[in-house]
């Protein structure tokens, strides 16, 4: 099987992180999540973390140049047998940067899974997570901002991959097991392509 380079796309609260954990286990793909990397940079107090924090706390996107530099280094270093990208790309500029780098390396994306679910379901999940994890960006007004940012800046990325023929829609409002089964089916199709 050729290397499996995958992207998980979808609004906050769609369950990407939960599914990624299971995919990582089953398919042994390195999991690269920009949100986790940025939160780590913040808690380590690095320069990137200091720059990123105000954007994250406000529910806005961290500027493209910072995120692109961080992620491309990681893909080049670690992702050689495939990777699972979560939370990146979130803008068309990021998607183009990823394509350029993969092109240069003679590699490509196998599939982009778009987690689809109604906003109110995602909001409910995010507010539940706020109660459980105490994330600083899960306050109601910041949750709303993250949705607005998703619609305005990340939805064009869906169209970008749709026109490239690698977008696969996933019914993300179902249970964790049902969503995972759908992902497994989709992956089998991708792997034989
Ligand atoms: P997440 O855990 O994926 O919801 O990301 C948490 C926050 O990190 C986002 O609200 C953004 O502020 C920032 N972030 C994560 N990934 C990106 C990205 N690809 N581009 C810009 N900002 C990002």
């Amino acid at each position: 099987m050729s290397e499996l380079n995958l992207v998980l796309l979808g609004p906050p609260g769609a369950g990407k992180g939960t599914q990624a954990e299971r995919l990582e286990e089953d398919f042994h793909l390195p999991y690269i999540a920009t949100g986790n990397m940025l939160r780590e940079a913040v808690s380590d107090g690095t320069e990137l973390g200091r720059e990123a924090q105000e954007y994250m706390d406000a529910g806005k996107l961290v500027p493209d140049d910072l995120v692109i530099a961080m992620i491309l280094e990681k893909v080049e270093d670690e992702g050689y047998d495939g990777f699972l990208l979560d939370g990146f790309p979130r803008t068309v500029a990021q998607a183009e940067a990823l394509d350029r780098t993969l092109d240069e390396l003679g590699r490509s994306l196998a599939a982009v899974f778009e987690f689809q679910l109604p906003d109110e379901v995602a909001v409910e999940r995010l507010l539940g997570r706020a109660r459980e994890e105490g994330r600083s960006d899960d306050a109601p007004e910041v949750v709303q901002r993250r949705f607005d940012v998703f619609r305005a800046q990340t939805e064009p990325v869906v169209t970008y991959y749709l026109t490239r023929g690698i977008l696969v829609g996933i019914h993300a409002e179902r249970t964790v097991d049902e969503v995972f089964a759908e992902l497994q089916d989709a992956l089998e199709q991708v792997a034989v392509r």
Side-chain angles (χ1 to χ4, degrees):
M1 190 170 79
S2 62
E3 60 178 86
L4 215 44
N5 299 324
L6 303 171
V7 170
L8 306 183
L9 207 61
K16 302 187 295 295
T18 305
Q19 296 298 331
E21 275 174 30
R22 300 184 64 164
L23 288 172
E24 194 185 6
E25 244 169 60
D26 271 34
F27 294 88
H28 306 290
L29 296 169
Y31 174 46
I32 306 176
T34 41
N36 293 350
M37 290 170 76
L38 289 167
R39 277 187 289 280
E40 222 174 274
V42 170
S43 70
D44 289 349
T46 66
E47 197 183 325
L48 169 66
R50 280 195 297 277
E51 286 188 70
Q53 184 165 23
E54 60 174 304
Y55 296 98
M56 296 171 73
D57 285 348
K60 294 181 186 170
L61 293 186
V62 174
D64 277 341
D65 52 343
L66 295 179
V67 182
I68 287 171
M70 174 182 85
I71 200 80
L72 293 187
E73 195 180 313
K74 189 95 174 165
V75 165
E76 285 172 358
D77 282 357
E78 287 187 22
Y80 263 90
D81 294 322
F83 56 74
L84 188 56
L85 266 185
D86 175 6
F88 183 95
R90 260 180 158 94
T91 64
V92 171
Q94 292 180 11
E96 288 171 347
L98 177 63
D99 266 357
R100 269 197 306 276
T101 300
L102 291 177
D103 256 3
E104 282 164 18
L105 297 169
R107 306 170 60 189
S108 59
L109 291 176
V112 175
F113 294 119
E114 186 205 355
F115 284 53
Q116 300 165 337
L117 81 173
D119 281 5
E120 53 285 8
V121 178
V123 169
E124 202 40 56
R125 286 185 187 174
L126 281 175
L127 296 176
R129 189 166 77 189
R131 289 189 287 272
E132 282 164 24
E133 291 177 12
R135 255 175 67 160
S136 61
D137 60 356
D138 275 354
E141 62 284 5
V142 180
V143 164
Q144 188 55 52
R145 166 76 63 69
R146 288 163 64 208
F147 267 95
D148 296 344
V149 164
F150 178 80
R151 296 280 171 241
Q153 291 175 267
T154 307
E155 232 158 47
V157 177
V158 173
T159 313
Y160 177 91
Y161 287 125
L162 189 64
T163 59
R164 279 160 181 74
I166 54 171
L167 194 79
V168 182
I170 299 293
H171 297 89
E173 79 284 8
R174 302 200 225 163
T175 66
V176 172
D177 286 338
E178 285 168 332
V179 175
F180 188 63
E182 192 175 335
L183 281 167
Q184 280 177 309
D185 284 349
L187 272 167
E188 270 168 38
Q189 309 274 327
V190 169
V192 298
R193 267 215 299 250

